[in-house]
């Protein structure tokens, strides 16, 4: 029953975590959802409370929190994203993998009912199909972030099959939202571009103008997460991670859509090391398995997303 659930969102101050925490509290109640992140409590907005400062690599503190709060569901979002991970591979591996293994171990020990862990399109690599990349597409990632996500998917499947732990996962595409700043991902240009447009500043894009990537508005991503977690376990045929799709566009295409609403907005292109990362990923994914298993359908197209992003950021700026 919903009223008996006690949820822990790890990485609650991040791009996904903040909005997921709000959504879970609307669905359940404020005090059923504990937000946790590495930031000190005196740096946290009141709206984030109840909040616990947590370094997820500290397994003893994580265990104490799960035990004391009698946690029944864990949403483990803490990670180092693709671009930042390439700059510090070993630290990225420790954060992305050691924390997942701690969450899985403790979830078995304390009989946590459900665990959500996000994967990524980064599990695919240069040899994966570029268009409509299938659920079972080749996963030979070319980045440390992708390597950690690919390995994590199989750890999740292993814990489900070995221990019966109900772990669920989505391969998020690039996510675009207005509540948090870009967090060091290769697709973050599609968030940063809106901030420059609102300020009337020329935007310099670190990808080439024709680089198509799978993308998604944050509202769709949060809804997909909730729908997956609400689905009956009997419906789910994938225990690694589901492909999740919505949009696919290039920097030029999103710029042109923004410029319709912000006339005179300018863009320049200066590709860097992130271009090579982007070129190793698919341009679009086939998410028909998610549609079949739990009726996934996106709600936002490019035009609707751009309009809402500009509207929301104008209010916040």
């Amino acid at each position: 029953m919903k009223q008996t659930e006690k949820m822990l969102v790890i990485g609650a101050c991040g791009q996904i975590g903040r909005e997921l925490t709000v959504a879970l509290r609307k669905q359940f109640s404020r005090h059923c959802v504990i937000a946790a992140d590495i930031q000190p409590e005196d740096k946290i907005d009141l709206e984030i409370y109840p909040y616990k400062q947590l370094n997820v690599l500290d397994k003893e503190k994580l265990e104490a929190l799960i035990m004391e709060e009698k946690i029944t569901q864990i949403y483990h979002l803490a990670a180092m994203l693709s671009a930042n991970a390439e700059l510090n591979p070993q630290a990225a591996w420790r954060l992305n993998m050691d924390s997942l293994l701690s969450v899985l171990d403790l979830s078995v020990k304390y009989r946590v009912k459900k665990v959500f862990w996000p994967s990524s399109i980064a599990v695919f690599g240069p040899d994966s199909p570029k268009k409509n990349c299938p659920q079972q597409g080749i996963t030979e990632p070319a980045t440390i972030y992708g390597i950690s996500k690919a390995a994590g998917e199989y750890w999740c499947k292993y814990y489900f099959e070995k221990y019966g732990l109900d772990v669920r996962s989505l391969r998020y595409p690039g996510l675009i939202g207005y509540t948090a700043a870009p967090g060091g991902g290769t697709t973050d240009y599609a968030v940063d571009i809106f901030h420059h447009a609102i300020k009337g500043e020329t935007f310099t894009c670190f990808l080439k103008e024709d680089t198509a990537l799978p993308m998604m508005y944050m509202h769709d991503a949060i809804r997909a997460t909730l729908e997956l977690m609400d689905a009956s376990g009997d419906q789910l045929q994938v225990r690694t991670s589901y492909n999740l799709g919505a949009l696919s566009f290039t920097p030029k295409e999103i710029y042109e859509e923004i410029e319709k609403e912000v006339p005179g907005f300018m863009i320049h292109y200066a590709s860097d090391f992130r271009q090579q990362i982007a070129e190793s990923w698919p341009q679009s994914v086939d998410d028909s398995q998610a549609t079949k298993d739990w009726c996934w359908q996106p709600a936002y197209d490019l035009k609707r997303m751009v309009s809402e992003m500009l509207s929301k950021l104008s209010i916040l700026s």
Side-chain angles (χ1 to χ4, degrees), residues 46-116:
L46 289 176
E47 66 180 17
I48 299 296
Y49 283 87
Y51 174 84
K52 300 288 185 179
Q53 184 180 8
L54 174 70
N55 180 347
V56 72
L57 293 176
D58 188 332
K59 190 173 181 179
E60 290 185 3
K61 288 188 177 179
L62 175 61
E63 180 171 11
L65 181 56
I66 293 171
M67 180 176 58
E68 291 168 6
E69 295 290 344
K70 297 181 173 57
I71 298 298
T72 64
Q73 292 188 29
I74 297 177
Y75 295 76
H76 176 35
L77 308 173
M80 190 180 297
L81 301 183
S82 57
N84 286 343
E86 288 302 292
L87 301 175
N88 200 338
Q90 292 189 16
W93 181 259
R94 286 194 298 272
L95 175 58
N96 295 0
M97 292 308 306
D98 290 356
S99 65
L100 173 61
L101 290 173
S102 293
V103 166
L104 295 175
D105 278 342
L106 294 172
S107 294
V108 171
K109 181 175 181 179
Y110 290 97
R111 298 183 179 181
V112 173
K113 295 178 185 177
K114 294 179 185 178
V115 175
F116 177 79

Side-chain angles (χ1 to χ4, degrees), residues 204-238:
T204 300
C205 183
F206 54 72
L207 297 182
K208 295 177 181 178
E209 66 176 15
D210 59 350
T211 307
L213 288 170
M215 297 283 189
M216 179 175 286
Y217 190 41
M218 184 64 74
H219 286 8
D220 270 345
I222 298 302
R223 181 171 57 83
T225 305
L226 297 179
E227 289 177 358
L228 174 66
M229 293 299 279
D230 284 343
S232 168
D234 295 339
Q235 298 173 238
L236 306 182
Q237 301 301 308
V238 175

Side-chain angles (χ1 to χ4, degrees), residues 170 216-217 219-225 227-228 243-247 286-301 304:
L170 296 171
M216 179 175 286
Y217 190 41
H219 286 8
D220 270 345
I222 298 302
R223 181 171 57 83
T225 305
E227 289 177 358
L228 174 66
N243 275 6
L244 189 69
L247 310 171
D286 177 358
D287 61 359
S288 57
Q289 190 68 49
T291 300
K292 177 183 176 182
D293 289 359
W294 43 279
C295 303
W296 162 246
Q297 288 292 334
Y300 284 81
D301 59 14
R304 184 183 177 193

Side-chain angles (χ1 to χ4, degrees), residues 121-126 128-134 138 212-214 248 277-285:
I121 58 168
V123 299
F124 299 115
S128 305
K130 292 300 180 185
K131 295 185 178 180
N132 295 317
C133 188
I138 296 170
L213 288 170
S248 182
I277 297 174
E279 289 175 356
S280 74
W281 293 347
Q283 297 174 7
S284 60
V285 297

